[in-house]
Amino acid sequence: MPAPSYCIPRLPRWIAIHIAHTSVFGVATAVAEETVFSEEVMAREIDALTETLARCPGIKILIGHHPIFTAGKRTFRYDGDGELLYMRRLRRAIEDCGIHFYFSGHEHHQSHITGPTCEHIVQGCGGARVKPNPKHARREQGWRDAEKILRHFEVIGGFAVVEVNAALVVNLRFFGINMNEPASAVRVI
């Protein structure tokens, strides 16, 4: 990455992509949910992504390391609704800028959550236990509440591909590779 936070230059006018430095929203180095942050640094990050995305008339994509909503092991930590509260300022910025997609990782699984105003795609490249740790429950069966719907969840290695065209048609595909299978066993999910 050329910087902790930046916009992708020279894109067509109908799409804007910004890479956000999500650690400024309260993530400490040792404990992900510990709230250690600077209001000034957080404000600069929000100003930077707002500058990139607010003037785009088309598809707006934000990419960051930490998710806002998760079906992973942190799902029960905040009253069981899967929202990481330390990311609330970024969530408000997403809503204010009209962002369509937020891509993140950190959770070591693949998931797609429709949030209140945008689609949240978590692509954590696997690494989580195939069977959940009883101390860190997951919400694999999903949930539906007033704000969000879990559309896909799987603990598997792989990657996500998003394609967007000038007609603003978006195609999202997850590719999965089971841990004990050869790479040729890639499947589209």
Side-chain angles (χ1 to χ4, degrees), residues 10 49 56-58 60 62 69 73 90 94 106 108 132 139 143 161 166 178 187:
R10 298 184 294 279
L49 70 92
C56 176
K60 301 174 187 182
L62 181 64
F69 299 114
K73 67 183 184 181
L90 183 60
I94 284 172
H106 189 65
H108 301 279
R139 202 172 280 239
W143 74 87
V161 173
N178 288 319
R187 62 189 174 88

Side-chain angles (χ1 to χ4, degrees), residues 20-156:
H21 181 42
T22 58
S23 292
V24 304
F25 294 98
V27 181
T29 56
V31 182
E33 285 74 22
E34 187 177 328
T35 55
V36 178
F37 60 89
S38 157
E39 287 289 333
E40 180 183 333
V41 174
M42 218 171 12
R44 278 198 313 257
E45 187 65 36
I46 290 172
D47 288 346
L49 70 92
T50 300
E51 182 180 336
T52 299
L53 300 168
R55 64 180 177 259
C56 176
I59 297 288
K60 301 174 187 182
I61 297 174
L62 181 64
I63 301 169
H65 180 75
H66 301 91
I68 293 170
F69 299 114
T70 178
K73 67 183 184 181
R74 292 167 185 80
T75 191
F76 291 105
R77 203 166 275 174
Y78 301 112
D79 298 324
D81 76 350
E83 181 177 359
L84 301 180
L85 298 181
Y86 65 90
M87 297 296 284
R88 184 64 58 94
R89 289 278 300 273
L90 183 60
R91 176 185 168 178
R92 281 193 298 253
I94 284 172
E95 293 168 359
D96 292 345
C97 289
I99 293 169
H100 300 98
F101 291 92
Y102 177 58
F103 289 90
S104 63
H106 189 65
E107 288 295 285
H108 301 279
H109 67 257
Q110 295 178 331
S111 66
H112 173 191
I113 298 168
T114 297
T117 60
C118 87
E119 303 300 318
H120 296 258
I121 310 301
V122 177
Q123 177 51 58
C125 293
R129 299 173 182 214
V130 174
K131 293 184 180 175
N133 179 340
K135 293 180 182 178
H136 302 288
R138 299 190 292 238
R139 202 172 280 239
E140 297 178 46
Q141 304 309 311
W143 74 87
R144 177 184 291 261
D145 63 25
E147 284 199 311
K148 56 198 167 301
I149 302 167
L150 178 64
R151 299 191 179 278
H152 170 73
F153 177 89
E154 190 162 5
V155 176
I156 192 166

